[in-house]
Amino acid sequence: MSKRIRLGMFQAMTPMGQWRMPGNTSTDFLDLQHWVTMAKRLDQEGVDFLFMADDYAYPVVDGHVLPQAIESSVQFPKADPIVLLSALALATERLGLVATVSTTIEKPQIVARRFATLDHLTGGRLGWNVVTGAGQNASALLFDEPLIPHDERYARADEHIRLAMELWEGVWEDDALVQDRESGTYADPSKVHEIDTHGRWHGARGVLTVPPSPQRTPVLFQAGASSSGRGFAADYAEGVFLASEPAATAAQIAAVRDLLDANGRGRDAVLFLSAGTFVVAPTAEEAHAKRALQASFWTLEDAAAAYAFFTGLDLMSMPLDEPLASTRTETGRTNVERFSGANGAPALTVRQILEEFQRNSVMGAPFVGDPVQVVDQAEAFLAETGADGFLVQPDPTGTFDDFLDLVLPEMRRRGMVAEPPQVGATLRERLFGHPHLADGHPGAAFRRVRV
Ligand SMILES: Cc1cc2nc3c(=O)[nH]c(=O)nc-3n(C[C@H](O)[C@H](O)[C@H](O)COP(=O)(O)O)c2cc1C
């Protein structure tokens, strides 16, 4: 009996898949119709959500944007996906809409207001991928601010998310919005509470002006797998995105589940979705040919640019046949720890890291083959890692058409995919069966207890 899984679909407002592949349409990423067409299809096919990754960054080496990144389109160019979401909400009925906002870049009051608004406009189908942020070296330069040390970014993230949750959960009582034309009471002042919270980096005295949205707090996702990232996930995440080799993925999931046990939320409080790349065609030969063509467009220089984006480290300046000359970075650590022996796996040489990035970039090895073969591979991955589903990467063409045409029907045939919920269900109801944060979540402590 196949395991029921969850499916999120990964995109960003940037060329996706491999933009040089024949048939790739992701260079239309600034065309609203491109997104509306994609979201409508995802909605009809019944996947759980569309995830829009985001950051303000690009590859930077020696303090400057890397020309290679501009030339080959490595994490460049890029636009702001939050702006898309209300249009996609109107075009869809059930599809969850999840987007990244960095706790390092934006203030919690801004995030709370924008996400509360979007949770209304999506009818409660919103999720927030809470990250400290990739490419922090680039965004620090762009904002003309000092690079905040890695672990301090997570300490700030802690205050950030707590303040945002207090605004969502702790200001408006459920029945504060009255809108009584007769009496002239729009909202009951005794049921709208000021918060008064002051931390080291974030504080507020005041109210969230947006009335409570269907979920109040959007579904909380998290995506940094460094050791501080795991602690943050165990404290706050309801869903975690991962991307690594199977053994490392299994170890990450086990580590976060142990932390969940320790902090009382319970081992099953979080859904773990691993990046899943499906290179699929009606026959295995065609799929392998597609994969080979896609891989031929990636150079080692592109791989180094991608690595610089995620870690701030310039592999091209290091001896190729030795392990990383330096693992010290205040940019992202996930892809340093992943290859430096820190996770129990042997340390790779710089050349091996470059080759791994050239083949697979950050999202791990793809499943390649005909529909039956890729779903077999995906099921083996799930069995080995204990993941709850996939964050499906775009096809080489940048869309999900191959996945939806060939993989999803095979998953359905095996009973792996849940039926879509009723129109009107919130994303949290769809994923967890209840509309609001679980009682054991730290955000629930901000709720007003009505007497
Ligand atoms: C599937 C997946 C999706 C991610 N999406 C984003 C994103 O949209 N924006 C971002 O800044 N970081 C994203 N990341 C995580 C970044 O890599 C992470 O925030 C960064 O590495 C900093 O955290 P760390 O030091 O814990 O790695 C994603 C990671 C994975 C595995």
Side-chain angles (χ1 to χ4, degrees), residues 214-281:
Q215 301 182 111
R216 285 186 176 254
T217 299
V219 180
L220 298 171
F221 293 87
Q222 186 278 348
S226 61
S227 39
S228 355
R230 291 176 196 186
F232 187 81
D235 285 342
Y236 301 110
E238 300 174 275
V240 167
F241 300 143
L242 305 152
S244 202
E245 296 67 30
T249 303
Q252 278 169 33
I253 293 175
V256 177
R257 286 204 197 280
D258 286 348
L259 291 170
L260 285 165
D261 238 353
N263 72 15
R265 289 184 62 205
R267 296 186 78 75
D268 298 326
V270 168
L271 285 174
F272 293 89
L273 301 187
S274 176
T277 308
F278 295 79
V279 182
V280 63

Coordinates of all heavy atoms in Angstrom, one line a residue, residues 214-281:
P214 N -8.9 34.1 7.8 CA -9.4 32.8 8.1 C -8.4 31.9 8.9 O -8.8 31.1 9.7 CB -9.6 32.2 6.6 CG -9.9 33.4 5.8 CD -9.1 34.6 6.4
Q215 N -7.1 32.0 8.6 CA -6.2 31.2 9.4 C -5.5 32.0 10.5 O -4.7 31.4 11.2 CB -5.1 30.6 8.4 CG -5.6 29.8 7.3 CD -4.4 29.3 6.4 OE1 -4.2 28.1 6.4 NE2 -3.7 30.1 5.8
R216 N -5.7 33.2 10.5 CA -4.9 34.2 11.4 C -3.4 34.0 11.0 O -3.0 34.8 10.2 CB -5.2 33.9 12.9 CG -6.5 34.4 13.4 CD -6.7 34.3 14.9 NE -7.9 34.9 15.3 CZ -8.0 36.0 16.0 NH1 -6.9 36.7 16.2 NH2 -9.1 36.5 16.4
T217 N -2.7 33.1 11.6 CA -1.3 32.9 11.2 C -1.3 32.0 9.9 O -1.9 30.9 9.9 CB -0.6 32.1 12.3 OG1 -0.6 33.0 13.5 CG2 0.9 31.8 11.9
P218 N -0.6 32.5 8.9 CA -0.5 31.6 7.7 C 0.2 30.3 8.1 O 0.9 30.3 9.0 CB 0.3 32.4 6.7 CG 1.0 33.5 7.5 CD 0.2 33.7 8.7
V219 N 0.0 29.3 7.2 CA 0.8 28.0 7.5 C 2.3 28.4 7.5 O 2.8 29.0 6.5 CB 0.4 26.9 6.5 CG1 1.2 25.7 6.8 CG2 -1.1 26.6 6.6
L220 N 3.0 27.9 8.5 CA 4.4 28.3 8.6 C 5.3 27.2 8.1 O 5.4 26.1 8.6 CB 4.7 28.6 10.1 CG 3.9 29.7 10.7 CD1 4.1 29.8 12.3 CD2 4.3 31.1 10.1
F221 N 6.1 27.6 7.1 CA 7.1 26.7 6.5 C 8.5 27.3 6.9 O 8.7 28.4 7.2 CB 7.0 26.6 5.0 CG 5.7 25.9 4.6 CD1 4.5 26.6 4.4 CD2 5.7 24.6 4.3 CE1 3.4 26.0 4.0 CE2 4.5 23.9 3.9 CZ 3.4 24.6 3.8
Q222 N 9.5 26.4 6.7 CA 10.9 26.8 7.0 C 11.8 26.0 6.1 O 11.5 24.9 5.7 CB 11.1 26.5 8.5 CG 12.4 26.9 9.1 CD 13.6 26.0 8.8 OE1 13.4 24.9 8.3 NE2 14.8 26.4 9.0
A223 N 12.9 26.6 5.8 CA 13.8 25.9 4.8 C 15.3 25.9 5.0 O 16.0 25.5 4.1 CB 13.5 26.5 3.4
G224 N 15.8 26.4 6.1 CA 17.2 26.4 6.3 C 17.6 25.2 7.1 O 17.1 24.9 8.2
A225 N 18.6 24.4 6.6 CA 18.9 23.1 7.3 C 20.2 23.2 8.1 O 20.7 22.1 8.6 CB 19.0 22.0 6.3
S226 N 20.7 24.4 8.3 CA 21.9 24.5 9.2 C 21.4 24.1 10.6 O 20.2 24.0 10.9 CB 22.4 25.9 9.2 OG 21.4 26.8 9.7
S227 N 22.4 23.9 11.6 CA 22.0 23.5 12.9 C 21.0 24.5 13.5 O 20.0 24.2 14.2 CB 23.1 23.1 13.8 OG 24.2 24.0 13.6
S228 N 21.3 25.8 13.3 CA 20.4 26.8 13.9 C 19.0 26.8 13.2 O 18.0 27.0 13.8 CB 20.9 28.2 13.9 OG 22.2 28.3 13.4
G229 N 19.1 26.5 11.9 CA 17.8 26.4 11.1 C 16.9 25.3 11.6 O 15.7 25.4 11.7
R230 N 17.6 24.1 12.0 CA 16.8 23.0 12.5 C 16.1 23.4 13.8 O 14.9 23.0 14.0 CB 17.7 21.8 12.7 CG 18.2 21.2 11.5 CD 19.1 20.1 11.8 NE 19.9 19.8 10.7 CZ 20.8 18.8 10.6 NH1 20.9 18.0 11.7 NH2 21.5 18.5 9.5
G231 N 16.8 24.1 14.7 CA 16.2 24.5 16.0 C 15.0 25.4 15.7 O 13.9 25.2 16.3
F232 N 15.1 26.3 14.8 CA 14.1 27.2 14.4 C 12.9 26.4 13.9 O 11.7 26.7 14.2 CB 14.6 28.2 13.4 CG 13.6 29.3 13.1 CD1 13.5 30.4 13.9 CD2 12.8 29.3 12.0 CE1 12.6 31.4 13.7 CE2 11.9 30.3 11.7 CZ 11.8 31.4 12.5
A233 N 13.2 25.4 13.0 CA 12.1 24.6 12.5 C 11.3 23.9 13.6 O 10.1 23.9 13.6 CB 12.7 23.6 11.5
A234 N 12.1 23.3 14.5 CA 11.4 22.6 15.6 C 10.6 23.5 16.4 O 9.5 23.1 16.9 CB 12.5 21.8 16.4
D235 N 11.0 24.7 16.6 CA 10.2 25.6 17.4 C 8.9 26.1 16.7 O 7.9 26.2 17.4 CB 11.1 26.9 17.8 CG 12.1 26.6 18.8 OD1 12.0 25.6 19.5 OD2 13.1 27.4 18.9
Y236 N 9.0 26.4 15.4 CA 7.9 27.1 14.8 C 7.3 26.5 13.6 O 6.2 26.8 13.2 CB 8.3 28.5 14.5 CG 8.8 29.3 15.6 CD1 10.2 29.7 15.8 CD2 7.9 29.7 16.6 CE1 10.6 30.4 16.9 CE2 8.4 30.4 17.8 CZ 9.7 30.7 17.9 OH 10.1 31.4 19.0
A237 N 8.0 25.7 12.8 CA 7.5 25.3 11.5 C 6.4 24.3 11.6 O 6.3 23.5 12.6 CB 8.7 24.7 10.7
E238 N 5.5 24.4 10.6 CA 4.5 23.3 10.5 C 4.8 22.5 9.2 O 4.4 21.4 9.1 CB 3.1 24.0 10.3 CG 2.7 24.9 11.4 CD 1.4 25.6 11.2 OE1 1.4 26.7 10.5 OE2 0.3 25.1 11.5
G239 N 5.6 23.1 8.4 CA 6.2 22.3 7.2 C 7.6 22.7 7.0 O 8.0 23.9 7.3
V240 N 8.4 21.7 6.7 CA 9.9 22.0 6.4 C 10.2 21.5 5.0 O 9.9 20.4 4.6 CB 10.7 21.2 7.5 CG1 12.2 21.3 7.1 CG2 10.6 21.9 8.9
F241 N 10.9 22.4 4.3 CA 11.4 22.1 3.0 C 12.9 21.6 3.1 O 13.7 22.3 3.8 CB 11.4 23.3 2.0 CG 10.0 23.8 1.8 CD1 9.8 25.2 1.7 CD2 8.9 23.0 1.7 CE1 8.6 25.7 1.4 CE2 7.6 23.5 1.4 CZ 7.5 24.9 1.3
L242 N 13.2 20.5 2.5 CA 14.6 20.0 2.5 C 15.1 19.7 1.1 O 14.3 19.5 0.2 CB 14.5 18.6 3.3 CG 13.9 18.5 4.6 CD1 13.3 17.2 4.9 CD2 14.9 18.9 5.7
A243 N 16.4 19.7 1.0 CA 17.0 19.3 -0.3 C 18.4 18.7 0.0 O 19.3 19.5 0.3 CB 17.1 20.5 -1.2
S244 N 18.5 17.4 0.0 CA 19.8 16.8 0.2 C 19.8 15.3 -0.3 O 18.8 14.9 -0.8 CB 20.1 16.9 1.7 OG 21.5 16.8 1.8
E245 N 20.9 14.7 -0.1 CA 21.0 13.3 -0.4 C 20.0 12.5 0.5 O 19.8 13.0 1.6 CB 22.4 12.8 -0.3 CG 23.4 13.4 -1.2 CD 23.6 14.9 -0.9 OE1 23.5 15.4 0.2 OE2 23.9 15.6 -1.9
P246 N 19.6 11.3 0.1 CA 18.6 10.6 1.0 C 19.1 10.3 2.4 O 18.3 10.6 3.4 CB 18.5 9.2 0.3 CG 18.8 9.5 -1.2 CD 19.8 10.6 -1.2
A247 N 20.4 9.9 2.6 CA 20.8 9.6 4.0 C 20.8 10.9 4.8 O 20.4 10.9 6.0 CB 22.2 9.0 4.0
A248 N 21.3 12.0 4.2 CA 21.3 13.3 4.9 C 19.9 13.8 5.2 O 19.6 14.4 6.3 CB 22.1 14.3 4.2
T249 N 19.0 13.6 4.2 CA 17.6 14.0 4.4 C 17.0 13.2 5.6 O 16.3 13.8 6.5 CB 16.8 13.8 3.1 OG1 17.4 14.5 2.1 CG2 15.4 14.2 3.3
A250 N 17.2 11.9 5.6 CA 16.7 11.1 6.7 C 17.3 11.6 8.1 O 16.5 11.7 9.0 CB 17.1 9.6 6.5
A251 N 18.6 11.9 8.1 CA 19.2 12.4 9.3 C 18.6 13.8 9.8 O 18.3 14.0 11.0 CB 20.7 12.5 9.2
Q252 N 18.3 14.6 8.8 CA 17.7 16.0 9.1 C 16.3 15.8 9.7 O 16.0 16.4 10.7 CB 17.6 16.8 7.9 CG 18.9 17.5 7.5 CD 18.9 18.1 6.1 OE1 17.8 18.6 5.7 NE2 20.0 18.2 5.4
I253 N 15.6 14.9 9.0 CA 14.2 14.7 9.5 C 14.2 14.2 10.9 O 13.5 14.6 11.8 CB 13.4 13.8 8.5 CG1 13.2 14.6 7.2 CG2 12.1 13.4 9.1 CD1 12.6 13.7 6.1
A254 N 15.1 13.2 11.1 CA 15.1 12.5 12.5 C 15.6 13.6 13.5 O 15.0 13.6 14.6 CB 16.1 11.3 12.4
A255 N 16.5 14.4 13.1 CA 17.0 15.4 14.1 C 15.9 16.4 14.5 O 15.7 16.7 15.7 CB 18.2 16.2 13.5
V256 N 15.1 16.9 13.5 CA 14.1 17.8 13.8 C 13.0 17.1 14.6 O 12.4 17.7 15.6 CB 13.5 18.5 12.5 CG1 12.4 19.4 12.9 CG2 14.6 19.3 11.8
R257 N 12.7 15.9 14.3 CA 11.6 15.1 15.0 C 12.1 15.0 16.5 O 11.3 15.1 17.4 CB 11.4 13.8 14.4 CG 10.5 13.9 13.1 CD 9.8 12.6 12.8 NE 9.3 12.4 11.5 CZ 8.2 13.0 11.0 NH1 7.5 13.8 11.7 NH2 7.9 12.8 9.7
D258 N 13.4 14.7 16.7 CA 13.9 14.6 18.1 C 13.7 15.9 18.8 O 13.3 16.0 20.0 CB 15.3 14.2 18.1 CG 15.5 12.7 17.8 OD1 14.5 12.0 17.7 OD2 16.7 12.3 17.5
L259 N 14.0 17.0 18.1 CA 13.8 18.3 18.8 C 12.4 18.6 19.1 O 12.0 19.2 20.1 CB 14.4 19.4 17.9 CG 15.9 19.5 17.7 CD1 16.3 20.5 16.6 CD2 16.6 19.9 19.0
L260 N 11.5 18.2 18.2 CA 10.0 18.4 18.4 C 9.6 17.6 19.6 O 8.7 18.1 20.4 CB 9.2 17.9 17.1 CG 9.3 18.8 15.9 CD1 8.8 18.0 14.7 CD2 8.4 20.0 16.2
D261 N 10.1 16.4 19.7 CA 9.8 15.6 20.9 C 10.2 16.3 22.2 O 9.5 16.4 23.2 CB 10.7 14.3 20.9 CG 9.8 13.1 20.9 OD1 8.6 13.2 21.1 OD2 10.4 12.0 20.7
A262 N 11.5 16.9 22.1 CA 12.0 17.5 23.3 C 11.3 18.8 23.7 O 11.1 19.1 24.8 CB 13.5 17.8 23.0
N263 N 10.8 19.5 22.7 CA 10.1 20.8 23.0 C 8.6 20.6 23.2 O 7.9 21.6 23.4 CB 10.5 21.9 22.1 CG 9.8 21.7 20.7 OD1 8.9 21.0 20.5 ND2 10.3 22.5 19.7
G264 N 8.1 19.4 23.1 CA 6.7 19.1 23.5 C 5.7 19.3 22.4 O 4.5 19.1 22.6
R265 N 6.2 19.6 21.2 CA 5.2 19.8 20.1 C 4.8 18.4 19.5 O 3.7 18.3 18.9 CB 5.8 20.7 19.0 CG 5.9 22.1 19.4 CD 6.4 23.0 18.2 NE 5.5 22.9 17.1 CZ 5.8 23.1 15.8 NH1 7.1 23.4 15.5 NH2 4.9 23.1 14.8
G266 N 5.6 17.4 19.7 CA 5.2 16.1 19.2 C 5.9 15.8 17.9 O 6.0 16.7 17.0
R267 N 6.4 14.6 17.7 CA 7.2 14.2 16.6 C 6.5 14.4 15.3 O 7.1 14.6 14.2 CB 7.5 12.7 16.6 CG 8.4 12.3 17.8 CD 8.8 10.8 17.6 NE 9.9 10.6 16.7 CZ 11.1 10.9 16.9 NH1 11.5 11.5 18.1 NH2 12.1 10.7 16.0
D268 N 5.2 14.4 15.3 CA 4.4 14.5 14.0 C 3.8 15.9 13.7 O 3.0 16.0 12.9 CB 3.3 13.4 14.0 CG 3.9 12.0 14.1 OD1 5.0 11.8 13.5 OD2 3.3 11.2 14.7
A269 N 4.3 16.9 14.5 CA 3.7 18.2 14.3 C 4.1 18.8 13.0 O 3.5 19.8 12.6 CB 4.2 19.1 15.5
V270 N 5.1 18.3 12.3 CA 5.7 19.0 11.1 C 5.6 18.0 9.9 O 5.9 16.8 10.0 CB 7.2 19.4 11.4 CG1 7.8 19.8 10.1 CG2 7.2 20.5 12.4
L271 N 5.2 18.6 8.8 CA 5.3 17.9 7.5 C 6.7 18.2 6.8 O 7.0 19.3 6.7 CB 4.2 18.3 6.5 CG 2.8 17.9 6.8 CD1 1.8 18.6 5.8 CD2 2.7 16.4 6.7
F272 N 7.4 17.1 6.4 CA 8.7 17.3 5.8 C 8.5 17.1 4.3 O 8.2 16.0 3.9 CB 9.7 16.3 6.4 CG 10.0 16.6 7.8 CD1 9.3 16.0 8.8 CD2 11.0 17.5 8.1 CE1 9.5 16.3 10.2 CE2 11.3 17.8 9.5 CZ 10.6 17.2 10.5
L273 N 8.8 18.1 3.5 CA 8.7 18.0 2.1 C 10.1 18.1 1.5 O 10.8 19.1 1.7 CB 7.8 19.0 1.5 CG 6.3 19.0 2.0 CD1 5.5 20.0 1.2 CD2 5.7 17.7 1.9
S274 N 10.5 17.1 0.7 CA 11.8 17.2 0.1 C 11.7 17.6 -1.3 O 10.8 17.2 -2.0 CB 12.4 15.8 0.2 OG 13.7 15.8 -0.5
A275 N 12.7 18.4 -1.7 CA 12.7 18.8 -3.1 C 12.8 17.6 -4.0 O 13.6 16.7 -3.7 CB 14.0 19.7 -3.4
G276 N 11.9 17.5 -5.0 CA 11.9 16.4 -5.9 C 11.9 16.8 -7.3 O 11.0 17.5 -7.7
T277 N 12.9 16.4 -8.0 CA 13.0 16.7 -9.4 C 12.7 15.5 -10.3 O 13.4 14.4 -10.1 CB 14.5 17.2 -9.8 OG1 14.8 18.2 -8.8 CG2 14.5 17.8 -11.2
F278 N 11.7 15.6 -11.1 CA 11.3 14.5 -11.9 C 11.6 14.8 -13.4 O 11.0 15.7 -14.0 CB 9.8 14.2 -11.8 CG 9.4 13.8 -10.4 CD1 9.2 14.7 -9.4 CD2 9.1 12.5 -10.1 CE1 8.9 14.3 -8.1 CE2 8.7 12.1 -8.8 CZ 8.6 13.0 -7.8
V279 N 12.6 14.0 -13.9 CA 12.9 14.2 -15.4 C 12.2 12.9 -16.0 O 12.7 11.8 -15.9 CB 14.3 14.3 -15.7 CG1 14.6 14.5 -17.2 CG2 15.0 15.5 -14.9
V280 N 11.1 13.1 -16.7 CA 10.2 12.0 -17.0 C 9.8 12.2 -18.5 O 9.7 13.3 -19.0 CB 9.0 12.0 -16.1 CG1 8.2 13.2 -16.2 CG2 8.2 10.7 -16.3
A281 N 9.6 11.0 -19.1 CA 9.1 11.0 -20.5 C 8.4 9.7 -20.7 O 8.6 8.8 -19.8 CB 10.3 11.1 -21.5

